[in-house]
Amino acid sequence: MTAEIGHFALILALLVGIVQAALPLYGAHHGIRPWMAVAKPAALVQLALVTTAFGCLMQLYITSDFSVLNVVSNSHTAKPLLYKISGVWGNHEGSLLLWVLILALFGSAVALFGANLPPSLRARVLGIQALIAVGFYLFMLLTSNPFQRITPPPLNGNDLNPLLQDPGLAFHPPMLYLGYVGFSMAFSFAIAALIEGRVDATWARWVRPWTLAAWCFLTAGIALGSWWAYYELGWGGWWFWDPVENASFMPWLAGTALLHSSTVVEKRDTLKGWTILLAIVTFSLSLLGTFLVRSGVLTSVHAFATDPARGVFILMLLIIVIGGSLALFAVRGPALVSTGLFQPISREGALLLNNLVMVTAAAAVLLGTLYPLVLDAVGGGKVSVGPPFFNAVFIPLMVPMIVAMAVGPLLAWKRADLAPALSRLWAAALAALAVMALAWAAMTGGPLLGVAGVGLAAWLFVGTLVELASRIRLFRDSAADSLGRLRRTPRAAWGMTLAHLGLAIAVAGMAAAGAWKTESIQAMKPGDTVTVGGYAFTFDGARAGRGPNYQLVAGAFRVSRDGKPFVTLMPERRVYDVGQRPTTEAAIHTTFWGDLYAVIGEAEGAAGAYVTRIYFNPLVAWMWAGVLIMVAGGVLSLSDRRHRVGAPARRAGAGVAQAARA
Amino acid sequence: MPTRALYLLPLAVFLVMAGYFALGLTKDPKIIPSALIDKPVPAFKLPPIEGGKGNGFSSDDLKGDITVVNVFASWCIPCRAEHPLVTELAEMKIARVYGLNYKDKPADALRWLSALGDSYYATGADRDGRVGIDWGVYGVPETFIVDRFGKIRHKQVGPMSPDILRKQIVPIIRDLKK
């Protein structure tokens, strides 16, 4: 019964979606107010229906209803409750349901909190949201129904891929989807603006919080995925340029560009067409991310759907959504007139440089991800370009951008002089040189790239602080005046400062972890010792045991530094009962300067020897910390007063709700 | 108008991409494994694993009798799980079982074979994976059944399970023997 209710709710949601798309869009075109007003209740009903469907699927998973195919394929009675729940979205059909649930959530947020939007704009935004939703409902109902029954029902399920049975991964997809789908708001606003033919500062102020919220979620989602790869895959790496990682990284790059260019639209009434295009491109890349993962065009660990019928459907959807919006852009875009003029050396110029680098980087990632596909399509065979390509393209792009990132915020709008800005950065230059010298001395013989990387990070970190100091006129006015300015600094400005500081810390982590990682792979008997990164790891042997739904072998390493005991690491190797698939659970001890990382592999011959992998990953924790600070910066900026103008009465609430108060 | 053309550019780029996607979709990922089915084995010659026994093997060795080619590597965890079944198949003596050591370090491979048992009729080392590409290997382990005319008749992707061995691999070999 539950499955039928869910299925029925999904069909109803499709019908409501069609109404929500048709009436408000038509009404907005002909100025029929009651038709436009349909959008709000329709969006709320849609949310109620999709929530019902999602709740039904979750109920089926929790009660392990094996008469439903989706539950059979992805669950098992012996699985812990958390993974029964996360199993709901750990598969193709369920993840789509999550997608539309989040879309409906954002839609009703506009309906509820968008009271200050002009009625026609709100009707159009919601209508376009509904069009996207209709595409996804059709896709689910026609090709990927999560409520498909199976007869006869089997006694037990096939279990979820054990790699996915992990707390980090339980929350990774929802975060990522909040980001992907969040960009649909920017997209809908962009299309609505193209239809209305009007893009101005107020429009930019409405779009910005949605973009910012989506960006925060996506940033956190990507970091969570990378963290999961780091501790679960057991190779000590944190980014593999896997197509699926790239799929989430491309919208991030484009979304970051959008975030910066929408500031220019808001403050200077220029770069309009470009910002609209970025909004379309960002959401298109989000859709493409879904497409790449789901269609089987690219096969990878993550790809849970390889069904050509689905691929054809998604391709049609992409052509309609992306092709349609770009065609609209081609027709209506030239009509958007920008009034603000600016010189190349100016705040606008710096933001445009950021945009160009971000977009070029996104294009490069797209090329590297799709090139193998294109080559295969023209008969060139299956290849993978892999990390060498991405590193070769990415690093030369990012280095000048980070150099410019410290300078940009110091430039005035419209027209600026480079020389005074640069002269204010003497402290940053000094810091960069000092850090590079220190790194060079400490890591003699290491790759130069690492030295340059931490130097850049120091430059950006101190440069961002210099900007903060000059904003509050530190040391130039009295301390009390500076403190007053510090207090009056708007949260959006604080957000930028934090986000840039966060990036600096993350860059230091990436550079150090990339350049100075040390590893040692060997067979170890109990009592054997290896030294990695200045720490001595003594293997104490391994013992077998049992977890809730797996067998395990747990090894013990006593780690000492300079002869003094430091910590004991207990990595595990698990073999899941169902499917007999093994996973590694690395043991990680985080210190300020780096992570001690131990993995236990296969038994090697007799005498209790095991294959072990031991790594010292310098500054890895800085990466996660830096990303967290970036997200915090985004959230802080989201709470800025300027986004709340127009709804002064309400103060409580957080996250999406706050974003909605545009 | 040059500006208008500029606004058309994103659409044009997207349409080209969509065209490639459409082409890409015609290549079903599930078809790839069987693309070589009923085709002769690609011509190749593999040296033995450095420091190991034997002289390697080549496409000529796969003619005249039914053979099985098992692609394995010491770094591959499922291979280890599968290995006892490979041994079992070899000991049935219904087909010669060759081992194609894929992208492996010789020392690791030899240590692996000495620990788990080497029941291969012969092994060849494909250190850079060139021969693997010709065979369409896209994951390890993979197992091919080759008939007496040197044509690939079956491909098993991923590790064999006892079930797959008994219900698929062995019956196919028996059929080919008739």
Side-chain angles (χ1 to χ4, degrees), chain B residues 39-56:
Chain B
K39 300 259 167 64
V41 295
F44 71 94
K45 182 161 171 46
L46 283 176
I49 299 172
E50 217 175 287
K53 64 185 171 69
N55 302 317

Side-chain angles (χ1 to χ4, degrees), chain A residues 277 288 291 296-297 306 308 311-312 315 318-319 322-323 326-327 329-331 333-334 366 370 373-374 376-378 382 582 602-604, chain B residues 3-4 6-12 14-15 17-18 20-25 27-30 32 75 77-78 80 111-112 115 133 138:
Chain A
L277 180 63
L288 198 68
F291 175 53
V297 165
T306 43
V312 171
L315 185 61
L318 283 186
I319 290 176
I322 305 178
L326 288 177
F329 176 74
V331 175
L366 187 68
L370 296 186
L373 170 77
V374 171
D376 187 39
V378 298
K382 293 231 169 258
E602 303 279 334
E604 182 77 20
Chain B
T3 341
R4 196 154 271 275
L6 208 61
Y7 280 87
L8 266 169
L9 190 67
L11 181 64
F14 170 72
L15 289 179
M17 260 173 56
Y20 275 114
F21 277 138
L23 267 175
L25 275 176
K27 315 252 166 178
D28 180 353
K30 283 185 185 147
I32 299 160
W75 44 262
I77 295 162
R80 198 172 269 266
R111 189 149 23 101
W112 194 85
I133 290 174
Y138 75 135

Side-chain angles (χ1 to χ4, degrees), chain A residues 422-443:
Chain A
L422 285 179
S423 70
R424 271 192 276 170
L425 284 168
W426 60 268
L430 212 63
L433 287 176
V435 167
M436 279 161 78
L438 277 176
W440 179 247
M443 298 287 172

Side-chain angles (χ1 to χ4, degrees), chain A residues 293-319:
Chain A
V293 183
R294 304 272 168 256
S295 67
V297 165
L298 293 170
T299 22
S300 116
V301 196
H302 302 63
F304 1 98
T306 43
D307 182 341
R310 288 171 181 173
V312 171
F313 195 108
I314 304 182
L315 185 61
M316 298 294 289
L317 193 77
L318 283 186
I319 290 176

